[in-house]
Amino acid sequence: MAARTTGSLPVANVQALAETCNRSNDKIPERYVRKEVRSEELIAGHGSTSAIPVIDLNKLLDPQSLEECVKLASACENWGFFQLINHGVPDEVIANLMNDIAEFFEQPLEAKKAYSQLPNSLEGYGQSFVVSDNQKLDWCDRFFLLVRPVESRDLRFWPTTPASFRHSVDVYSSEVAKLSCRLLEFMAKGVGAEPTSLLGICEASLLHMFQGQPQGLRMNYYPPCRQANKVLGMSPHTDAAGLTLLLQVNDMPGLQIRRDGKWFTVDAVEGAFIVNVGDVLEIVSNGKYRSVEHRAVVHPDRERITAAVFHRPCQDAVVGPLPELLKDGNRKAKYRSVGYMEFMRRYYSAKLDGRNHLESTKN
């Protein structure tokens, strides 16, 4: 995986920095100050006509309910985001993961440092996308694990405290993998492709792009910041994955999506996953589905914790528009095909920078 061949420059632990700044009202280091946060237009999500669509998996699975399939395709085309309810992942599985992630971040810094990233790797506890000594930094600490296929796991980075952490992640990743298969089947139909074109993510065949269910888990800890209007929890970016499922570990909102040049806050529906199209799905759909720019903001008094699961192609895959979508002579490939490992190397070697990486793959 590219995550094990690309590193990130070491920076200060943000959780510890926040404790110092918030306690003494010290000035935020200049590398974290983002002037654009206060100047850009922001729209509240609650009650807004621009609230992202909510998709009901039970309706999707009902053969008589074609309307929900159309709604899903529209969400992927026009929004690139949707919230998924009645998803079938047991409440207990989600609660166990949430509790263990929260407990991990509550540990003393030295305990967490036992799982620090190694040089030339993004796996473990630390940062990502820090490629220079002068770029702006995010107000966030991250903990990234490669979780599937099972044989790809490096247990050096899997905490033994809390004692249930490894089991919770294993069960959760399995449930979310099954869920992503169901979603990809309907998303393939929505783009006009055979379900198996994307459902390779569920099968162990070299003929399929997503063979072996590659899956990464990134846990994000956003400390509170008394001067929250000066920092960003995560810079504007798109996800390089195929499909991302986000879980809000606590009830603190902070995700914002750029739409029509404006930012608006996503109000998470209780018990829902926030799902978004990644760069790979925009490319294989030849641009029909959208990988949308998003960012995270922080709260002045409360921490925010999230867990994102990224579903990715196998490392030998070639990322390009599906041939079956180009059969019509009038349809041209909007994106160049590239090996997935090379695609990811370019993504990781560039700091988070909106849609620029995705745009660079266009013909």
Side-chain angles (χ1 to χ4, degrees), residues 252-267:
M252 193 69 241
L255 174 65
Q256 295 182 343
I257 297 173
R258 191 192 289 274
R259 182 169 171 81
D260 299 327
K262 302 171 185 177
W263 291 102
F264 76 92
T265 299
V266 175
D267 288 327

Side-chain angles (χ1 to χ4, degrees), residues 84-151:
L84 186 70
I85 61 174
N86 294 322
H87 46 68
V89 178
D91 292 343
E92 181 182 8
V93 171
I94 293 175
N96 289 342
L97 179 83
M98 291 166 64
N99 290 336
D100 285 347
I101 291 176
E103 187 174 335
F104 172 81
F105 282 117
E106 287 172 1
Q107 296 180 99
L109 178 57
E110 289 307 311
K112 290 178 288 198
K113 279 186 173 181
Y115 306 99
S116 291
Q117 296 166 342
L118 300 175
N120 300 318
S121 175
L122 295 176
E123 192 165 14
Y125 179 68
Q127 281 295 339
S128 52
F129 305 104
V130 182
V131 298
S132 75
D133 291 324
N134 55 11
Q135 76 183 69
K136 292 295 184 179
L137 299 177
D138 294 338
W139 196 261
C140 175
D141 292 320
R142 302 184 178 108
F143 184 28
F144 178 75
L145 295 175
L146 294 174
V147 292
R148 290 193 174 269
V150 173
E151 57 271 19

Side-chain angles (χ1 to χ4, degrees), residues 4-271:
R4 287 186 178 147
T5 59
T6 307
S8 182
L9 296 178
V11 294
N13 177 266
V14 182
Q15 190 173 358
L17 175 63
E19 290 174 0
T20 300
C21 291
N22 291 336
R23 183 173 58 246
S24 61
N25 285 323
D26 282 359
K27 240 181 124 179
I28 298 169
E30 189 61 31
R31 289 191 70 185
Y32 294 91
V33 175
R34 312 289 283 266
K35 295 178 181 178
E36 68 271 20
V37 180
R38 284 175 289 181
S39 62
E40 292 177 318
E41 184 169 356
L42 176 64
I43 300 174
H46 184 67
S48 169
T49 56
S50 53
I52 65 175
V54 176
I55 303 296
D56 188 330
L57 183 61
N58 282 344
K59 292 181 180 179
L60 275 181
L61 296 173
D62 181 357
Q64 305 302 317
S65 182
L66 298 179
E67 181 180 344
E68 203 71 8
C69 296
V70 173
K71 187 178 175 183
L72 173 64
S74 174
C76 294
E77 290 179 35
N78 299 311
W79 287 87
F81 272 83
F82 58 90
Q83 299 200 58
L84 186 70
I85 61 174
N86 294 322
H87 46 68
V89 178
D91 292 343
E92 181 182 8
V93 171
I94 293 175
N96 289 342
L97 179 83
M98 291 166 64
N99 290 336
D100 285 347
I101 291 176
E103 187 174 335
F104 172 81
F105 282 117
E106 287 172 1
Q107 296 180 99
L109 178 57
E110 289 307 311
K112 290 178 288 198
K113 279 186 173 181
Y115 306 99
S116 291
Q117 296 166 342
L118 300 175
N120 300 318
S121 175
L122 295 176
E123 192 165 14
Y125 179 68
Q127 281 295 339
S128 52
F129 305 104
V130 182
V131 298
S132 75
D133 291 324
N134 55 11
Q135 76 183 69
K136 292 295 184 179
L137 299 177
D138 294 338
W139 196 261
C140 175
D141 292 320
R142 302 184 178 108
F143 184 28
F144 178 75
L145 295 175
L146 294 174
V147 292
R148 290 193 174 269
V150 173
E151 57 271 19
S152 72
R153 297 174 180 175
D154 187 339
L155 294 182
R156 289 178 299 173
F157 299 106
W158 288 58
T160 54
T161 303
S164 54
F165 182 95
R166 295 183 177 188
H167 178 70
S168 297
V169 171
D170 180 57
V171 175
Y172 181 79
S173 69
S174 176
E175 290 288 342
V176 173
K178 290 184 288 186
L179 176 59
S180 71
C181 292
R182 298 188 183 106
L183 286 176
L184 285 165
E185 177 181 0
F186 292 106
M187 293 171 79
K189 291 178 181 177
V191 82
E194 289 295 322
T196 52
S197 296
L198 296 180
L199 272 180
I201 197 166
C202 309
E203 303 169 5
S205 167
L206 293 175
L207 299 177
H208 295 286
M209 175 180 290
F210 292 94
Q211 174 254 339
Q213 183 72 354
Q215 190 188 73
L217 169 65
R218 189 183 69 213
M219 296 151 278
N220 307 299
Y221 182 89
Y222 303 96
C225 179
R226 293 284 175 84
Q227 302 175 66
N229 64 342
K230 293 183 178 180
V231 302
L232 275 177
M234 190 172 293
S235 301
H237 67 287
T238 59
D239 292 344
L243 193 66
T244 303
L245 276 69
L246 179 73
L247 176 68
Q248 296 209 149
V249 174
N250 60 358
D251 60 355
M252 193 69 241
L255 174 65
Q256 295 182 343
I257 297 173
R258 191 192 289 274
R259 182 169 171 81
D260 299 327
K262 302 171 185 177
W263 291 102
F264 76 92
T265 299
V266 175
D267 288 327
V269 175
E270 185 176 355

